[in-house]
Amino acid sequence: MSQIDIARPDALGRDELVPSRYALKIGDIDVLIISDGVLPIPAATMGTNVAKADMAAWLKEMFLPPDMLDWPLNVAVVRSGDRTVLVDSGLGSEFPGFPRAGQLAMRLDSAGIDPASVTDVVLTHLHMDHIGGLLVDGLRGRLRPDLRVHLASAEAEFWAAPDFSRTVMPEAVPPVLRTTAARFLDVYRGQLRPFETEYEVAPGVKICRTGGHTPGHSIIRLESGGERLTFAGDAVFQPGFDHPDWHNGFEHDPELSARVRNRLLTELAASGELLVATHLPFPSVCHVAAVGNTFRLVPTVWDY
């Protein structure tokens, strides 16, 4: 693994005090992880099927606050062959309750990436923190008219009449998720390229439906030159390594989500490939180690 520079030298974000993007190569595939910012969420949503004392103990052990967490929000830009693929799009800027997220448009500019160069968008699912960036005028109006938007057919079908009966979200969230997804499908309907189980978007770039978190939730598998990376979307959260059976409040089918998480982490521990996930601390590039019936996140060394 080595760092690449896909930004123009004159386009550096000089107004940012900390790095907001990280570049690496997977064989011949260029990958840029971009932080869209952070979301404040109640800590209790990280484990809705566990005792409060167990959750409090885990938060203390991880040096995390007991009540509200800053949830990282990562997206990716992938270049393979003649395709430039945007993986998810962050929150966007239309939600005033989350002022520290929605940074994608600015950070694409800082990285020297012209939105018009994006040929494909791959969506892990249609929660607002994954699609909101594509609804912002500062980004939406700069995208090419022949943009292709890939998502699982089951995901589009689910949001026609979404079921929140098994989620444990803050009360105000489900109506916003519902209206944002409906708006997104209306705006991009002519550009949608639904798939059933898996689809190769570009050479070595494959989107695969897992279900669980949402019925059409998908992960992105990259493979080139003997190297592999999985962008896991919301299949894995920070507690999922120590406690893969903990349910996240945003999961629409928590039991299936736990099975997907266990299966994926077991596979990644065996293969040794890299993992990136939406809500792991930026840039979230890591390996997975098996520890009995649980797992351990092993961060990679940043390559400058």
Side-chain angles (χ1 to χ4, degrees):
M1 183 182 71
S2 60
Q3 184 185 10
I4 56 171
D5 183 6
I6 64 174
R8 296 193 314 263
D10 61 342
L12 299 177
R14 296 185 179 86
D15 58 331
E16 296 195 277
L17 298 179
V18 297
S20 61
R21 62 183 183 270
Y22 181 73
L24 64 152
K25 287 184 73 72
I26 302 298
D28 293 328
I29 299 175
D30 295 338
V31 183
L32 187 70
I33 310 300
I34 298 176
S35 171
D36 190 59
V38 294
L39 300 168
I41 65 161
T45 62
M46 302 297 276
T48 60
N49 62 330
V50 301
K52 290 183 178 179
D54 292 338
M55 172 58 68
W58 181 83
L59 291 167
K60 183 177 181 180
E61 180 181 316
M62 299 300 292
F63 296 91
L64 293 171
D67 299 317
M68 294 293 293
L69 304 179
D70 282 338
W71 216 8
L73 187 51
N74 305 311
V75 304
V77 177
V78 175
R79 288 178 176 169
S80 179
D82 62 351
R83 315 302 294 182
T84 298
V85 182
L86 176 65
V87 180
D88 286 344
S89 69
L91 182 71
S93 57
E94 299 182 3
F95 306 98
F98 303 108
R100 296 167 62 202
Q103 307 296 317
L104 179 62
M106 178 267 289
R107 287 175 174 169
L108 286 175
D109 287 339
S110 294
I113 298 175
D114 182 357
S117 70
V118 175
T119 59
D120 300 81
V121 172
V122 169
L123 297 174
T124 59
H125 60 297
L126 294 182
H127 279 168
M128 66 187 188
D129 54 324
H130 298 256
I131 62 173
L134 289 169
L135 294 172
V136 174
D137 289 339
L139 182 57
R140 175 184 163 193
R142 300 165 63 192
L143 297 169
R144 56 200 297 159
D146 62 345
L147 179 74
R148 303 184 303 184
V149 179
H150 306 271
L151 79 166
S153 299
E155 189 69 6
E157 293 165 3
F158 172 74
W159 288 98
D163 178 8
F164 292 90
S165 62
R166 305 189 65 198
T167 63
V168 188
M169 304 179 185
E171 184 177 355
V173 172
V176 180
L177 289 176
R178 184 182 292 110
T179 57
T180 304
R183 181 183 168 203
F184 180 89
L185 290 170
D186 182 60
V187 168
Y188 284 97
R189 192 167 303 279
Q191 294 162 284
L192 296 182
R193 299 294 184 270
F195 68 95
E196 294 302 320
T197 304
E198 62 181 38
Y199 180 75
E200 188 171 43
V201 179
V205 181
K206 185 181 294 185
I207 181 171
C208 308
R209 184 170 70 89
T210 65
H213 186 74
T214 61
H217 180 274
S218 301
I219 62 176
I220 294 82
R221 316 299 298 256
L222 309 182
E223 184 170 5
S224 176
E227 299 182 332
R228 298 171 62 187
L229 179 148
T230 291
F231 186 98
D234 283 11
V236 181
F237 302 97
Q238 197 168 351
F241 297 88
D242 299 325
H243 304 284
D245 294 328
W246 283 13
H247 296 168
N248 185 282
F250 291 83
E251 293 169 337
H252 292 258
D253 187 336
E255 288 81 15
L256 177 57
S257 294
R259 293 196 297 271
V260 167
R261 182 160 44 253
N262 270 287
R263 185 168 61 246
L264 178 62
L265 292 175
T266 299
E267 178 187 344
L268 297 180
S271 70
E273 69 185 85
L274 291 172
L275 166 68
V276 171
T278 303
H279 298 298
L280 295 181
F282 175 81
S284 92
V285 182
C286 64
H287 292 284
V288 179
V291 184
N293 294 324
T294 64
F295 305 92
R296 181 164 55 90
L297 182 157
V298 183
T300 62
V301 176
W302 280 40
D303 185 1
Y304 284 95

